[in-house]
Amino acid sequence: MTTMKALVIAEPRRMVWATRDRPAPAAGEALIKILTAGICGTDIHAWSGNQPFFSYPRVLGHEICAEVVALGRGAEGVEPGQRVALMPYIACLHCDACQSGKTNCCEQISVIGVHQDGGFSDYLSVPVSTLLAVDEVTPEAAALIEPFAISAHAVRRAGVTADEQVLVVGAGPIGLGVAAIAAASGAQVIVADTSAFRRQHVADQLGLVALNPADAAFDAALREQSGGRLPLKVIDATGNPAAMNNAVSLIRHGGTVVYVGLHKGDLVIPDSEFHKKEATLLGSRNATREDFDRVCSLMASGQLRASMMLNHSLAFSTLDETFEPQVINNRELIKGVIHFDR
Ligand SMILES: [Zn+2]
Ligand SMILES: [Zn+2]
């Protein structure tokens, strides 16, 4: 059996190379050769040791573009040589959530690269049902389909329609995707982020207005941008409890807040604001096939571009050495993609 290299996170702050047998695709599975892998906040939290429900050792990597190499028995829908993107969520298909079509929040969900070994590895064998053919998408952009799909899901949860005013709080990768997809839906989008670097990125790469929520004049600027009133919808992509607690104060009466950013602790929401406005609060978790399909069509039409979130690339062969200086300690990193040059 041929061997391959995998980068294993052995314990917090320690990544080591392992030589493993190249997997043989089981029935219904495809063996894929990894071409690119995006680096996510989840990978950063796992490295730092503060990712909930996470066990070591683990091979990270769930934002994957790959080439199909071989098919297991009965595996259909993709062919060897095809370029694919991974939908990394393995759902049970039996629980109430799955039965109602919400496989994104399956009670037993297992995410490839989080709960089981992922794509910081030369090869991976995965169910063909998790693969999306993306022959027309560059490997760099295809690695971003999963984070863009998380953004697309949040926009769908918010029910964003044309001409309504939407505030996106947090201009990390998911917030940038949310802003771009809400704008593609025809909404008037305003972005808020405390980082001047990220506000500049929003202006340059998305062509949208970005405000600083820490400014004393933030509320006035927000109203000015939304025609003299507060926005109808706020989508929070910060995971920051202060921002999340404040979100209901930023919508108009009858408005909606969607939390796509995740905070491990409790939220404290002012009930007077919540009730007075008859606010709608929604969570948003992962994505479904419908969201991945939306992203692929927005990429094909040029409304979603890799440069909207991507600003760094790394080589797989040296990732054990570059991860800490170029990812963990890089204050200007928005999204990095790993290239598997062979
Ligand atoms: Zn991710
Ligand atoms: Zn389920």
Side-chain angles (χ1 to χ4, degrees):
M1 179 164 290
T2 327
T3 58
M4 64 170 193
K5 273 171 74 176
L7 188 59
V8 179
I9 180 148
E11 59 188 20
R13 310 175 67 86
R14 195 163 71 91
M15 280 179 165
V16 293
W17 292 107
T19 302
R20 293 185 172 180
D21 289 339
R22 188 191 294 186
E29 291 190 347
L31 177 69
I32 59 174
K33 182 170 87 170
I34 314 299
L35 301 175
T36 53
I39 297 173
C40 178
T42 306
D43 304 321
I44 292 169
H45 292 308
W47 187 90
S48 309
N50 53 25
Q51 174 70 18
F53 311 110
F54 189 85
S55 63
Y56 303 83
R58 180 65 67 227
V59 177
L60 297 170
H62 58 273
E63 302 177 358
I64 303 298
C65 170
E67 183 188 315
V68 177
V69 175
L71 296 174
R73 192 166 40 81
E76 287 174 355
V78 290
E79 296 296 331
Q82 260 193 325
R83 186 179 297 160
V84 288
L86 180 70
M87 297 179 284
Y89 323 114
I90 308 285
C92 79
L93 306 182
H94 299 297
C95 73
D96 287 329
C98 283
Q99 290 283 314
S100 67
K102 292 175 73 75
T103 50
N104 60 303
C105 60
C106 167
E107 292 174 23
Q108 314 286 344
I109 199 161
S110 175
V111 181
I112 295 170
V114 181
H115 309 108
Q116 52 183 285
D117 284 351
F120 291 4
S121 172
D122 285 326
Y123 294 86
L124 200 59
S125 187
V126 296
V128 280
S129 57
T130 63
L131 298 175
L132 208 59
V134 292
D135 288 300
E136 309 302 317
V137 185
T138 67
E140 254 191 0
L144 305 177
I145 290 175
E146 192 268 350
F148 272 130
I150 302 233
S151 303
H153 190 72
V155 172
R156 187 151 67 89
R157 289 287 281 158
V160 170
T161 59
D163 301 323
E164 62 191 24
Q165 281 105 17
V166 177
L167 172 68
V168 180
V169 185
I174 300 302
L176 290 164
V178 166
I181 294 165
S185 310
Q188 272 177 261
V189 179
I190 307 150
V191 179
D193 197 291
T194 53
S195 154
F197 174 78
R198 292 195 173 202
R199 291 198 302 276
Q200 192 61 48
H201 180 91
V202 170
D204 294 345
Q205 299 297 334
L206 279 74
L208 296 172
V209 172
L211 305 174
N212 182 358
D215 270 354
F218 173 68
D219 263 45
L222 180 60
R223 285 173 193 272
E224 189 186 315
Q225 292 295 332
S226 348
R229 58 215 169 136
L230 289 169
L232 180 64
K233 290 169 183 173
V234 170
I235 303 177
D236 180 282
T238 65
N240 175 296
M244 293 171 80
N245 289 340
N246 189 51
V248 74
S249 308
L250 299 177
I251 49 166
R252 76 180 68 141
H253 287 229
T256 297
V257 171
V258 176
Y259 294 126
V260 57
L262 166 72
H263 166 56
K264 277 197 284 180
D266 298 336
L267 297 178
V268 182
I269 292 156
D271 186 50
S272 55
E273 287 286 302
F274 172 72
H275 262 95
K276 177 175 77 183
K277 293 178 173 174
E278 198 183 51
T280 301
L281 294 183
L282 294 164
S284 184
R285 184 181 182 198
N286 297 331
T288 65
R289 176 73 190 231
E290 183 179 346
D291 303 306
F292 281 85
D293 289 342
R294 173 107 202 268
V295 168
C296 288
S297 71
L298 289 171
M299 278 186 168
S301 66
Q303 289 167 287
L304 280 184
R305 298 176 295 278
S307 61
M308 287 173 164
M309 65 167 79
L310 184 68
N311 74 343
H312 195 66
S313 62
L314 303 96
F316 180 58
S317 58
T318 52
L319 191 65
D320 58 329
E321 288 165 8
T322 55
F323 197 81
E324 185 168 4
Q326 292 187 29
V327 177
I328 301 292
N329 297 332
N330 183 352
R331 292 188 166 251
E332 298 201 339
L333 179 75
I334 294 175
K335 168 69 80 181
V337 163
I338 301 159
H339 287 262
F340 288 63
D341 296 315
R342 295 179 176 93

